[in-house]
Amino acid sequence: MSQSPMEALLRPPVELYSAATAGACSAIAFTAPWTLMLSSGAGYAAGTLGLAFGAARARKAMRVLRYQRGLKRYKLTYLAPHKIPVSNEYLYLGQGFRWTQLHTQRKVDAMRYKAKPYVDPSPWIARARRFERWAQKKPIARAVAEVTSRPAWWNPLAPQPDLGGTPILHGVESDEVQVLLGQRHRNGHTIILGTTRVGKTRLMEILVTQDIHSGKVVIVIDPKGDADLMMRVYAEAARAGRLDQLYLFHLGYPDISARYNGIGNFARITEVATRTTNPLPDSGNSAAFKAFAWRFTNLVAQAQVALGRVPTYELILRDISDIEPLFLQYAQHILDRERVPQWQKQLEEIGYEIAKRILPIPRALQDRSQALVAMVHLVKQLQLEDAVLNGLATAVRYEKSFFEKIVASLGPFLEKLTTGKTGKLISPDYFDANDKRPIFDWMQVIRQKGIVYVGLDALSDTEVAGAVGNSMLADLVSVGGKLYKTGLDPHHPDGKIILPTVASHFDEVNELMGDEFVPMVNKLGGSGFWIHAYTQTVPDIEAKVGNAAKAKQILGNFNNVIMLRVKSHETAEFFTQQLPQVEVSAMTVVSGVTDGAGDGASHFVSKNEDRIATQNVPLIEPADIMALPQGQAFALLEGNRLWKIRMPMPDARDDKFIPPSLRAVAESMRARYQTGEQWWTQSDSHWIDNEPIGVTGVPPAMEAAASTPESVEEQAMAEMQG
């Protein structure tokens, strides 16, 4: 069989016949050698040879049976989080094999009509399911049905989980190995694509678990706020002894969340205005209003920093809404700094002249206070060379109603960001001693080798979630720029640039993509950032960035691509177009008859031939990707090496490292969002290390009757702080 030009695995296991015959002959040779006219010694020798031959034939038959079984049944592996392999050299992705021309050949063979008996499930399984449904109301038959439905190794009729797609794609290889990605290849960034509920978030749990235990800086940004992912991050941080380095930030649960100022840290002051106004619309006439809003936000930010304040969304909103107090404070600051002689006396004289109507009040300033009008006159007289002061003076000289129209789009947006408890998360009060929630920034997290989970609650308010997410990414890009230039220690005695290792995982990354994402994937690899982007389709990225060319620019920066099942043909082609074509063989049976001449001994000549023809086909096709079962993927790793992956499902049942209060919050999140992916619990039981384990369910329900959501969050906050 091994020397045949075509592999023959889709056929009856005929080797069993010769194996059974050899086994029977060996038994006779051992027990009654005289029947074979052999002496006892010769009988033992013949029996041994027969057993060896029978074992070899049985092994070949078992290979055929095992291969055919793999084409019919899905294979599932459940792995407890503490058993996930962790290495500083490799990243474990799952079980699988390197996909080659051989597997394409096997897939083509299995898709042929004549192969149906060997790839379709046994009809007895369907009959067993019908019998079980019929037996539900019949006591005696129900006892039999309980046996046929019991998931055990000895039960060939046991129900199998339906993961969708086709098991053929993974069944074409019986021998799996661990699929590993070299850690040194991760700085080329990784993108994971797959439609909803096929395992993207569960794959993220596996990768994040390894990054936490290997001691890396870990950043997880989850726009929708997946409860299982949040609990996994918390549990693994606790298991790794890094709970003191963990920051949980969740817009939907501010009472248990750390605080973050998205505009308080910057390399250039202009970043404050850029991050603040980025979410504003910039198409058509809106572009001019966005430009005005950026200019005045930039002036306000510069003035706040000069006055020793840390910019926050709340302070920006306050000073944009009423710019007069900021102008007066900043003007006084500049006059004191420049040591203008007797400016207070000049200001009093100007105020007196205004009160006595000696100095006319410009029409645009008639609704302003007398102190502001006097300061505007003084600044105009002194002609100080301070761009911020002159810019603020220009702003206050606008009519108040006109200024409000210019920043009309910015005000409501900032109000959304600063309203309620959420506002205190992203506009923290640094001087509130009663607020015990920690405040973090990215440089602090990186220096501490911290772990950050960010839940943006996008299902509740997409606009606020997008603004906070974009601000965080822009902040990360700024921090990456600092690290690229100076490293973690800008004062290193040897002048070395020491870079961190930052494993960043962005779920539903299309929700976060803005102008700041292009330099993030293009340049941050040199700053020690490993970016893992999870999204559903390529068109999602194009729709978000609004430009197909920019989307291709982003995708071109991902050296590793993991493709789960998708429903977009364009997305599947993005993967398959990177693969070569291979040659596959097909056997054709030819039969023919030729009439004889009539005067010879033969009246006709028959002919039977087996012809083998070859053709070029893609290594895999888009239809293969669209037919992947849940939890399975194709992966292009380390320079377009194609792997077929089957991900183990994490078993988080009864994890002692998750406090009950956090489970309660997670249960509340599930009830609100309905985003937990529980598809791997469709089987009735599973196995870990040959020990039967029950199906993983959702965490125990919180005692809702005795607790309000607020009390649950307060309890979780107390436990986390403790």
Side-chain angles (χ1 to χ4, degrees):
M1 182 174 64
S2 61
Q3 297 182 4
S4 173
M6 292 194 67
E7 197 176 33
L9 293 175
L10 299 179
R11 57 173 176 78
V14 294
E15 293 89 347
L16 285 177
Y17 306 144
S18 57
T21 302
C25 292
S26 297
I28 294 173
F30 281 124
T31 59
W34 53 269
T35 60
L36 301 176
M37 293 182 292
L38 297 174
S39 63
S40 297
Y44 288 130
T48 303
L49 290 175
L51 280 181
F53 176 77
R57 296 295 287 173
R59 181 180 179 186
K60 292 182 179 180
M62 293 306 297
R63 179 188 174 216
V64 173
L65 291 173
R66 181 185 175 197
Y67 176 76
Q68 294 176 5
R69 178 183 174 87
L71 296 177
K72 297 178 182 180
R73 292 174 174 249
Y74 299 98
K75 188 174 182 181
L76 293 177
T77 300
Y78 292 81
L79 192 63
H82 66 277
K83 294 185 179 180
I84 295 176
V86 177
S87 169
N88 290 324
E89 298 296 328
Y90 297 99
L91 180 72
Y92 172 73
L93 300 177
Q95 303 297 119
F97 55 90
R98 180 84 178 272
W99 186 284
T100 63
Q101 181 273 343
L102 174 63
H103 303 102
T104 303
Q105 177 73 63
R106 290 177 175 177
K107 182 202 71 172
V108 172
D109 292 341
M111 294 293 186
R112 293 195 173 101
Y113 178 77
K114 291 184 178 180
K116 286 178 65 67
Y118 306 106
V119 299
D120 288 348
S122 169
W124 288 102
I125 295 178
R127 291 173 187 152
R129 301 290 84 77
R130 289 197 296 268
F131 170 75
E132 291 161 9
R133 291 192 294 270
W134 172 82
Q136 287 179 357
K137 296 183 179 180
K138 297 177 174 56
I140 298 177
R142 191 186 308 136
V144 179
E146 289 178 357
V147 175
T148 61
S149 62
R150 184 173 300 173
W153 64 268
W154 47 262
N155 183 11
L157 299 179
Q160 296 297 313
D162 184 8
L163 303 182
T166 172
I168 291 175
L169 292 172
H170 204 80
V172 294
E173 178 58 66
S174 303
D175 299 320
E176 292 181 321
V177 297
Q178 289 186 348
V179 181
L180 305 173
L181 172 63
Q183 298 280 9
R184 62 189 182 89
H185 294 284
R186 294 179 68 187
N187 62 357
H189 310 314
T190 304
I191 186 169
I192 298 93
L193 297 113
T195 189
T196 183
R197 304 256 175 157
V198 295
K200 292 193 307 295
T201 306
R202 301 291 78 81
L203 175 60
M204 183 190 292
E205 287 187 25
I206 295 173
L207 304 186
V208 168
T209 294
Q210 296 175 72
D211 287 335
I212 290 175
H213 284 274
S214 60
K216 298 178 178 63
V217 180
V218 180
I219 299 171
V220 179
I221 299 182
D222 180 12
K224 64 180 182 289
D226 185 85
D228 294 309
L229 179 59
M230 181 188 71
M231 289 200 303
R232 179 56 40 220
V233 172
Y234 184 96
E236 298 311 319
R239 186 176 286 111
R242 301 180 62 188
L243 205 55
D244 58 333
Q245 301 171 339
L246 173 66
Y247 296 91
L248 289 180
F249 177 90
H250 202 295
L251 292 177
Y253 290 87
D255 290 335
I256 66 167
S257 175
R259 294 176 290 167
Y260 168 77
N261 184 2
I263 59 176
N265 295 279
F266 45 84
R268 297 180 180 177
I269 188 63
T270 53
E271 294 177 25
V272 176
T274 301
R275 296 179 204 170
T276 303
T277 59
N278 253 349
L280 299 180
D282 57 0
S283 58
N285 295 332
S286 299
F289 287 97
K290 182 175 181 178
F292 275 114
W294 185 93
R295 182 194 175 203
F296 290 119
T297 304
N298 185 46
L299 290 172
V300 167
Q302 291 186 69
Q304 289 177 351
V305 172
L307 292 172
R309 303 172 188 168
V310 178
T312 65
Y313 288 115
E314 190 170 350
L315 289 179
I316 294 290
L317 174 61
R318 186 193 70 184
D319 290 334
I320 285 288
S321 302
D322 185 8
I323 201 171
E324 182 174 323
L326 179 67
F327 168 71
L328 292 174
Q329 293 171 21
Y330 184 75
Q332 294 172 13
H333 169 73
I334 294 299
L335 292 171
D336 287 334
R337 190 190 69 183
E338 298 296 330
R339 297 181 181 180
V340 177
Q342 299 184 343
W343 66 266
Q344 294 93 341
K345 184 177 181 181
Q346 296 180 50
L347 189 63
E348 291 176 1
E349 292 175 355
I350 294 173
Y352 176 79
E353 292 178 357
I354 291 174
K356 295 297 183 180
R357 300 184 180 275
I358 299 174
L359 278 178
I361 300 177
R363 182 170 176 271
L365 296 177
Q366 288 180 356
D367 57 348
R368 301 286 189 178
S369 68
Q370 180 177 314
L372 182 135
V373 176
M375 184 62 75
V376 169
H377 276 285
L378 179 61
V379 170
K380 186 176 181 180
Q381 287 179 8
L382 296 175
Q383 295 291 315
L384 297 175
E385 294 183 0
D386 187 281
V388 177
L389 179 60
N390 293 327
L392 291 175
T394 301
V396 298
R397 281 200 294 266
Y398 287 128
E399 289 188 15
K400 196 170 185 179
S401 59
F402 178 70
F403 180 78
E404 290 172 351
K405 290 178 182 178
I406 289 177
V407 296
S409 58
L410 181 60
F413 170 70
L414 289 178
E415 286 183 5
K416 285 185 179 181
L417 294 181
T418 57
T419 299
K421 292 183 177 180
T422 302
K424 299 301 181 183
L425 286 186
I426 56 179
S427 294
D429 185 353
Y430 292 86
F431 302 102
D432 185 359
N434 296 322
D435 195 340
K436 304 299 184 182
R437 295 173 298 177
I439 302 175
F440 71 91
D441 62 71
W442 294 126
M443 187 60 79
Q444 166 198 349
V445 168
I446 292 172
R447 291 187 185 280
Q448 292 179 351
K449 290 191 174 182
I451 305 166
V452 179
Y453 170 83
V454 176
L456 295 178
D457 198 25
L459 298 180
S460 298
D461 195 327
T462 304
E463 190 172 359
V464 172
V468 175
N470 290 339
S471 176
M472 285 185 166
L473 294 190
D475 196 358
L476 276 173
V477 172
S478 176
V479 169
K482 293 180 185 176
L483 293 172
Y484 186 79
K485 289 182 287 187
T486 63
L488 283 173
D489 185 5
H491 306 293
H492 194 280
D494 298 331
K496 294 181 179 179
I497 296 180
I498 301 174
L499 295 177
T501 299
V502 183
S504 306
H505 299 264
F506 304 139
D507 198 9
E508 304 294 345
V509 73
N510 55 289
E511 298 290 339
L512 305 172
M513 282 188 175
D515 293 337
E516 64 282 338
F517 198 80
V518 176
M520 172 169 280
V521 295
N522 194 18
K523 299 178 175 63
L524 283 195
S527 300
F529 283 75
W530 298 348
I531 296 172
H532 306 77
Y534 305 74
T535 189
Q536 294 190 15
T537 65
V538 171
D540 287 341
I541 299 175
E542 294 181 2
K544 184 64 176 180
V545 300
N547 189 318
K550 187 177 291 186
K552 291 180 180 178
Q553 180 186 10
I554 292 173
L555 292 170
N557 284 281
F558 290 99
N559 288 276
N560 304 307
V561 183
I562 300 176
M563 182 73 70
L564 292 88
R565 185 206 303 166
V566 297
K567 301 303 293 182
S568 166
H569 194 273
E570 179 183 348
T571 304
E573 284 187 331
F574 161 72
F575 189 87
T576 58
Q577 286 175 352
Q578 303 179 53
L579 300 172
Q581 290 195 335
V582 293
E583 189 179 78
V584 297
S585 302
M587 181 176 291
T588 305
V589 178
V590 179
S591 299
V593 177
T594 304
D595 293 336
D599 54 353
S602 62
H603 297 283
F604 66 90
V605 177
S606 64
K607 179 176 64 173
N608 293 295
E609 297 179 355
D610 290 337
R611 295 179 181 175
I612 298 177
T614 62
Q615 60 177 334
N616 289 330
V617 299
L619 195 58
I620 60 171
E621 299 180 4
D624 298 330
I625 293 176
M626 300 170 77
L628 281 168
Q630 294 169 325
Q632 295 187 17
F634 285 104
L636 283 174
L637 309 174
E638 301 171 346
N640 274 25
R641 296 173 182 170
L642 180 61
W643 290 82
K644 177 67 179 61
I645 300 175
R646 180 179 58 82
M647 296 173 292
M649 297 300 102
D651 175 24
R653 187 170 54 100
D654 298 330
D655 195 328
K656 65 180 181 180
F657 289 99
I658 301 177
S661 57
L662 192 62
R663 285 185 182 272
V665 172
E667 186 68 16
S668 174
M669 290 168 62
R670 288 193 185 93
R672 290 175 57 186
Y673 304 141
Q674 297 294 321
T675 57
E677 298 174 3
Q678 299 292 333
W679 53 264
W680 63 88
T681 63
Q682 295 180 35
S683 62
D684 294 327
S685 70
H686 54 270
W687 293 75
I688 296 178
D689 292 344
N690 297 322
E691 297 180 5
I693 304 295
V695 175
T696 301
V698 297
M702 62 179 176
E703 299 175 353
S707 302
T708 64
E710 289 77 11
S711 64
V712 169
E713 295 175 11
E714 290 171 0
Q715 182 184 356
M717 184 64 184
E719 289 189 12
M720 291 170 63
Q721 290 178 349

